Amino acid sequence: MIIVMKNSAGQAALDAVEARVHAEGLETRVLPGEHKTVIAVIGTRPPELLQQLERMPHVEATIPISEPFKLAARTDTRERSVIQVGGVEIGNGSVTVMAGPCTVESPDQMAATAQHVASAGAQLLRGGAYKPRSSPYSFQGMGIPGLQLLAEAREATGLPVITEVLDPRQVEFVVDYADVLQIGTRNAQNYPLLCEVGACRKPVLLKRGMGNTIDEWLMCAEYILAAGNPDVMLCERGIRTFETSSRFTLDLNAIPLLRRRTHLPIVVDPSQGTGHWYMVHDMALASVAAGADGIIVEVHPEPETALIDGQQSLSFRHFSELMARLQPMAAALGRPLGAPVGV
Amino acid sequence: MIIVMKNSAGQAALDAVEARVHAEGLETRVLPGEHKTVIAVIGTRPPELLQQLERMPHVEATIPISEPFKLAARTDTRERSVIQVGGVEIGNGSVTVMAGPCTVESPDQMAATAQHVASAGAQLLRGGAYKPRSSPYSFQGMGIPGLQLLAEAREATGLPVITEVLDPRQVEFVVDYADVLQIGTRNAQNYPLLCEVGACRKPVLLKRGMGNTIDEWLMCAEYILAAGNPDVMLCERGIRTFETSSRFTLDLNAIPLLRRRTHLPIVVDPSQGTGHWYMVHDMALASVAAGADGIIVEVHPEPETALIDGQQSLSFRHFSELMARLQPMAAALGRPLGAPVGV
Amino acid sequence: MIIVMKNSAGQAALDAVEARVHAEGLETRVLPGEHKTVIAVIGTRPPELLQQLERMPHVEATIPISEPFKLAARTDTRERSVIQVGGVEIGNGSVTVMAGPCTVESPDQMAATAQHVASAGAQLLRGGAYKPRSSPYSFQGMGIPGLQLLAEAREATGLPVITEVLDPRQVEFVVDYADVLQIGTRNAQNYPLLCEVGACRKPVLLKRGMGNTIDEWLMCAEYILAAGNPDVMLCERGIRTFETSSRFTLDLNAIPLLRRRTHLPIVVDPSQGTGHWYMVHDMALASVAAGADGIIVEVHPEPETALIDGQQSLSFRHFSELMARLQPMAAALGRPLGAPVGV
Amino acid sequence: MIIVMKNSAGQAALDAVEARVHAEGLETRVLPGEHKTVIAVIGTRPPELLQQLERMPHVEATIPISEPFKLAARTDTRERSVIQVGGVEIGNGSVTVMAGPCTVESPDQMAATAQHVASAGAQLLRGGAYKPRSSPYSFQGMGIPGLQLLAEAREATGLPVITEVLDPRQVEFVVDYADVLQIGTRNAQNYPLLCEVGACRKPVLLKRGMGNTIDEWLMCAEYILAAGNPDVMLCERGIRTFETSSRFTLDLNAIPLLRRRTHLPIVVDPSQGTGHWYMVHDMALASVAAGADGIIVEVHPEPETALIDGQQSLSFRHFSELMARLQPMAAALGRPLGAPVGV
């Protein structure tokens, strides 16, 4: 940690700050500058010390140096993690495609979609049974019957299933149906929920909070890792910016930044991240080109009747076209699409 | 709802859209323009129809007209709500000051702070027993012993108590200690939690999600109202913007906007909304001048040792000075500070 | 400057960085931490060194310590500046009200508005003769005839005049008509224009760029100051954020931050900063309560026919009401409205 | 245009709004809804009418329907524009690479860089002679001697040259040296400058303002087009968001959105859009995968000594590697890299 003192700081202020730091058992080095004096603190500080020192007289700012996420950080010994889901490996250099409806609506819709995305080459099946809706008057998901339909679709296609949990009380039974638990953007900083999925033995796909920095997001992952679950995937899904002609701004800069800072696999959701079906193809390709380990896209047999998010769902034909465009590009990048499950 | 068709839309596309709308039992009016045709839809539409129509061929955009929050909306018959907490009325035209430590740390800290803020004129006592921390390694709050200290402080001072809930499983016992339940910014869209506080009989202070628009925030309030709890206060606490020299950007524009659109009382948190103790005075005054019904501020006996958020906490002396600056200004605005409890 | 080395940095990388710094004639102190080594640089660095060092192998980040704006910075010897415009002092503790139409439209409109705002207590008269319009097809201002109407209005009322310049080629003749030159938000980083107004002898009102941080804004002021013009006022007018129910987000946090960092007077524009006339009153009061030295508001005899920005202009009656609300509040804050000119 | 009336609007308010619209020679259709009445306006409205109507009593909002940019808009007859620069075609389906130093520093630096990027396959040469610097104390560019070095490099390599103009007074002589004029992000809404480049006969690369929406950006292009210059390329270079671990947030969503709305070619600047050299490769690939017509990247013989933006410049080796990664990916997408000039 670096402590920047104000121009006005005299010896007494410096002494007080040093005494405060020494009381924590840490060392200091005072570096007088031309205008401002800086105090460097050496040793592992308690997390609250940064803010406490900022409150002392004549302190202008405090600057942390070491990353606060110990388990999520990329290190010399742990370059990249590979996560196993059923027979699928995510993060091994290939590109994993996860697809399915935004929400489970009916047996026919689920079965047909699962069949289509499997045959087109998807490796995981997505589908929501519990949906966080901005309006209390909107359809909130089928709940347990929806989970059962997901399990049946897995049976029929062999695709592992990914589905969202909203409530810490849901985790204990959703794990019985799902292969991957998804934490949505609105719950990215729902710490009791993160602890609950951290305590279970299923991989987690952690979406970025729409108002969260990359640092905060990695700290959310750290909650799950610290609770004992090592299998966390990060999913960029768009952030809130002043640009509103897309529903969110997909922050693909996050991909190279994350690859530099964390060993966790990185997935992108171009459906949520754009909000318009006609942008999904281009942004799916861009995500893979930028280095994402996988993408997750919404597919619906009849988007114009979808109960949720039809405007950003691909039809079956569009999804097939996406796979056809993605395949040669991924191959040219030396990152083949993952082999279909069971092959 | 208004449906804007693309330039390219022919009669067949118009007919298909109209047929889709009629199938929902709604009426249409087609309005040909110079470049684009617009279809107006009359009647109460199912919530998903907007997105479904956007997915149809040759539809450029759909624009909702009516507000989606029915219970939170200001109407001719319900101009402003007044919320009763103990003997305190919030929203009656006076200015309510809520103050106390960010987090309950010890019996002495809590008792001394409660005593000070009460004697300086605060009307509610704040204090967190469950804290949503960005790091899993930081102090997470005292839990139930903290709630007990809050209850003792209420006993000693007569001030009603406001405290945060993070987890739907906490609501049933926190209500036994608290007079107002606070939903924090990270849980603003935690819908199971909103439903849970909506089902209890205590007033709720709903903070704005740091990445949420005013419309989304009002829909969060609608969740609580729709679950049966009419006593919701909205608390502006800063949003995420590109400006990082303050911790958040306090959006005081929200005050006149909310007064126009909702009957719910409006509170501002200048401690969270700035992140620096030396900005709290000015922004507290600004909040009241902009029309807030109350403010909530963090106060600590010794901010430089506070376990959480010391950098934005007022000392006792600073809090007294704030009250001394606030009192004549509020009086000049014709909005006196609320009478102390029990007087 | 602080240089943070990566975990991976060995002795050779450290030596190379130190050698690079020494080559600039600067001193270094190496501070080994538990994980990362930090190198403190002592002395006045050339401006480009920060970015150059960031590019060296095994450097993780470089952190500047001293403020880059020397002339704009608040110091022990120069606490606050007071700017003289005609008989008006801005920044002396009183509150200065600047008012007038968004744009000069006609002799009658200008004369009537000037008369009204003067009699209601405004101290400066605003009005645009050159307007930066988002569309090339919109009214771009009256130009020189507009400047003449402003000068006539000054003659009639005694109010000094503030008007915008867009183009470095306009400065030399606009100074003949105006008492204060305004730089608009779209030109906040138009450096040739800043240099041109810096070379003239008239006070400048520098609006904040809608996408600019406070640091960048102060550097824009530094351009004017460094060009030789000491009379710069800063005007907060709203920034771009994800909240679009107001036209911009008025960042009142900027007021206490600026007061801490610069000696320049601070003005707020609640008309531009909200975009809706019905928000102007509340945000004007809030600006003054937060510590602004002045406000600038748009007033029009008949806002519903205004050629520009009618939706955010106050009518004569609304402006009089604003002054009536502002006066007692400012007095209660110990900051009276400035005395009318010539009194 | 659609006018939404408030719930409170009675017949008199409706009549007044209709009368106001009819006075402009436009037609109206009144559509009573369940809660709110909507008035549709048919015909070409004067640009200011939208804001004027918003100011009338009982009007809640006005919503424009037609796009305000007539020349920039994609239409049935003009799907995509192709721009000719020297022998290079931009927007013809191939991928154009523009490369060179951020700024011209010396004859050796310029000659070596031009030679390297030409031999590695770049088709245009970039280099700044006039630089908009955030600090008045930083290097501001070589000016005319820099332009001469650019012209010599074109002579030596055959690559057309792109360089920035900052000031309307520069345009008349910069056109003598440059093949493409660049408008930077800080001048995106500098309308006198846009008019000046609109009046010249050289293609323009218009960067997006860092705080501008896509709509505003297209209106900036419209200024140039309306002034008579049809050869405008749009360049996405990152926007301001709350995420600060990259210098800006590169908004690749803009690519599919722009392709839908405008016929102008689209270029991406991954150097500016990330601010870190180690992110440039990935984001350059992503830009092409998302559908960009070209990219523009900063290259320097020795980035750690660059006078400007070394931290985001590629070394010669890195640039060659980028071309080697880009070539097979572009080919797989069916969009070959443009043929080198003169071949």
Side-chain angles (χ1 to χ4, degrees), chain C residues 7 15 19 70 85 127 190 302 316:
Chain C
N7 297 3
D15 291 348
K70 306 299 179 199
V85 182
N190 180 339
E302 208 181 11
F316 287 179

Side-chain angles (χ1 to χ4, degrees), chain C residues 193-342:
Chain C
L193 182 60
L194 298 181
C195 291
E196 210 66 52
V197 300
C200 81
R201 290 280 71 79
K202 287 281 167 74
V204 177
L205 183 92
L206 175 64
K207 292 204 164 182
R208 180 182 187 175
M210 65 183 84
N212 285 150
T213 62
I214 288 174
D215 275 53
E216 289 170 324
W217 186 14
L218 287 169
M219 289 309 290
C220 297
E222 190 80 7
Y223 259 94
I224 303 173
L225 297 168
N229 188 338
D231 292 330
V232 178
M233 295 173 265
L234 300 169
C235 180
E236 163 63 32
R237 50 76 68 208
I239 57 172
R240 269 281 149 78
T241 73
F242 64 78
E243 179 57 67
T244 56
S245 57
S246 48
R247 195 172 171 191
F248 294 97
T249 297
L250 195 64
D251 180 13
L252 296 187
N253 274 356
I255 301 175
L257 283 168
L258 285 171
R259 287 183 77 94
R260 201 174 156 93
R261 299 181 65 193
T262 183
H263 58 84
L264 302 173
I266 305 156
V267 175
V268 177
D269 181 341
S271 304
Q272 288 288 338
T274 62
H276 299 296
W277 64 272
Y278 52 81
M279 298 171 65
V280 173
H281 274 203
D282 289 337
M283 298 313 287
L285 293 170
S287 302
V288 171
D293 295 295
I295 55 170
I296 181 165
V297 295
E298 298 180 6
V299 178
H300 194 282
E302 208 181 11
E304 60 272 32
T305 65
L307 287 181
I308 307 182
D309 280 349
Q311 86 291 349
Q312 68 199 25
S313 295
L314 297 183
S315 65
F316 287 179
R317 181 170 61 81
H318 280 131
F319 181 67
S320 297
E321 286 170 6
L322 170 60
M323 295 303 283
R325 285 182 63 188
L326 197 51
Q327 192 279 329
M329 190 193 81
L333 291 167
R335 303 187 51 225
L337 296 192
V341 171

